[in-house]
Amino acid sequence: MSLLIVDQSKCEKDEFCVRECPAAVIRISAGDGFPELVEGGDAGCIRCGHCVAVCPHGAMSHADVPIESSPEIREALEIGEAQAAQFLRSRRSVRVFKDKPVEKEKIRRLIEIARYAPTGGNSQMIEWVAITDKSRLKKIAGLTVDWVRQLAKDPNVVAAAPYLPMVVAAWDAGFDSVLRNAPAVVVACAAGGIMTGQTDLTIAMTYLDLMAPALGLGTCWAGLLQGALAASPPLKAAAGIPEGHPYHYPMMLGYNDIKYFRLPERKAPKILYL
Ligand SMILES: Cc1cc2nc3c(=O)[nH]c(=O)nc-3n(C[C@H](O)[C@H](O)[C@H](O)COP(=O)(O)O)c2cc1C
């Protein structure tokens, strides 16, 4: 069976699919004038579904991106510039969480959206680990502090990151400033050999980050844990990151116990127009 399934009763031969295809594997048939796959197109197709998305007539389906799983865009749900700007500017790093577990179902719904983030070559090779077990989270935070404690012995490191000794002091005083007592940590990871692995998972994590408030959840990028994960194979194992997965990023997740009322200012951008 061909990858492309063209409903000839709907196709108007307007060639949108041909012009759109990023892999240039669709052409117009010299015989009947309908779109068809070029020779070798099966291997070249990146399964992005643009041919399905771009057809105004619903005439194109794809064996791996079926039209039935590709819903129409609902114009009523589109947002304007002001809504988009406020939505993006109001995303905050949440560090105060309720002592309330995050339902696995909600984590699944977040990942369900994050999987639509773009990936290089449409590889879609990101994997996810969701840690909700309190004792495991505490162990992970403690191992991270062990790593910070070592780092903080180097004055050059402390000069560059003056908050590190505070992380250790807070932990020793009984406060977790690594994971902020978040009831969940989600880790996105990808296997070695995926050329755009770290970028892909960072974008996907950003999708998850942006989606979380709609489910009543807050997030915070766990940069300290990320540093420790990169340095410590036992910590990577404790965090459930599979072997052979050099790319990863963890994010704290939980119900906000805090609310924001303003959009804080940031540095003016440096832009070079050429
Ligand atoms: C890559 C990255 C790593 C971060 N790591 C941490 C972290 O380990 N702990 C923390 O409390 N905040 C962390 N943050 C949050 C930043 O401090 C925060 O984004 C910044 O202060 C701006 O605040 P906002 O996110 O609310 O706009 C991290 C953010 C990013 C993007």
Side-chain angles (χ1 to χ4, degrees):
M1 188 180 80
S2 169
L3 281 186
L4 302 183
I5 303 130
V6 181
D7 183 337
Q8 297 191 352
S9 70
K10 291 183 179 167
C11 177
E12 298 200 4
K13 302 181 178 175
D14 45 27
E15 304 186 22
F16 287 121
C17 52
V18 178
R19 278 157 50 202
E20 173 66 12
C21 178
V25 295
I26 307 177
R27 71 178 173 206
I28 291 298
S29 160
D32 58 16
F34 287 109
E36 66 177 12
L37 209 60
V38 303
E39 287 85 29
D42 198 322
C45 173
I46 62 168
R47 276 77 176 159
C48 65
H50 278 218
C51 52
V52 179
V54 81
C55 180
H57 323 294
M60 179 66 84
S61 189
H62 186 292
D64 294 333
V65 194
I67 190 165
E68 297 77 26
S69 320
S70 309
E72 282 185 49
I73 294 171
R74 288 156 65 189
E75 277 181 24
L77 294 184
E78 283 178 10
I79 56 172
E81 181 178 351
Q83 290 96 325
Q86 172 158 302
F87 169 67
L88 292 170
R89 277 194 64 181
S90 60
R91 184 217 59 84
R92 290 275 72 78
S93 296
V94 173
R95 300 183 182 86
V96 188
F97 297 104
K98 288 190 176 128
D99 185 15
K100 175 182 172 184
V102 182
E103 301 85 341
K104 287 203 172 88
E105 167 60 11
K106 284 211 170 176
I107 297 174
R108 191 196 60 74
R109 276 158 63 192
L110 290 179
I111 294 170
E112 188 55 36
I113 288 302
R115 77 185 172 92
Y116 291 105
T119 49
N122 198 33
S123 68
Q124 303 176 70
M125 294 296 284
I126 298 163
E127 298 167 42
W128 300 88
V129 182
I131 309 162
T132 52
D133 178 72
K134 273 189 176 181
S135 59
R136 186 182 286 260
L137 288 167
K138 191 154 191 214
K139 180 180 172 194
I140 289 169
L143 288 169
T144 305
V145 174
D146 291 347
W147 172 75
V148 174
R149 206 182 288 277
Q150 287 306 314
L151 272 188
K153 289 181 181 160
D154 182 339
N156 294 324
V157 173
V158 174
Y163 54 85
L164 290 178
M166 265 97 88
V167 171
V168 177
W171 180 264
D172 291 344
F175 178 72
D176 171 13
S177 66
V178 172
L179 295 181
R180 301 270 166 177
N181 293 317
V185 166
V186 176
V187 189
C189 49
I194 302 167
M195 273 191 323
T196 53
Q198 190 64 35
T199 307
D200 292 345
L201 69 83
T202 307
I203 301 169
M205 199 54 118
T206 301
Y207 269 44
L208 187 149
D209 190 16
L210 291 169
M211 187 67 193
L215 275 63
L217 292 163
T219 50
C220 187
W221 294 78
L224 281 173
L225 173 55
Q226 169 72 354
L229 285 171
S232 161
L235 178 53
K236 262 181 93 166
I241 299 172
E243 272 191 39
H245 285 54
Y247 310 121
H248 44 78
Y249 216 100
M251 184 164 278
M252 303 167 222
L253 182 67
Y255 286 95
N256 301 18
D257 202 11
I258 204 96
K259 184 172 163 63
Y260 307 97
F261 298 95
R262 288 181 179 271
L263 309 171
E265 185 54 296
R266 295 286 181 258
K267 287 179 189 167
K270 276 174 130 180
I271 308 174
L272 176 62
Y273 294 105
L274 295 172

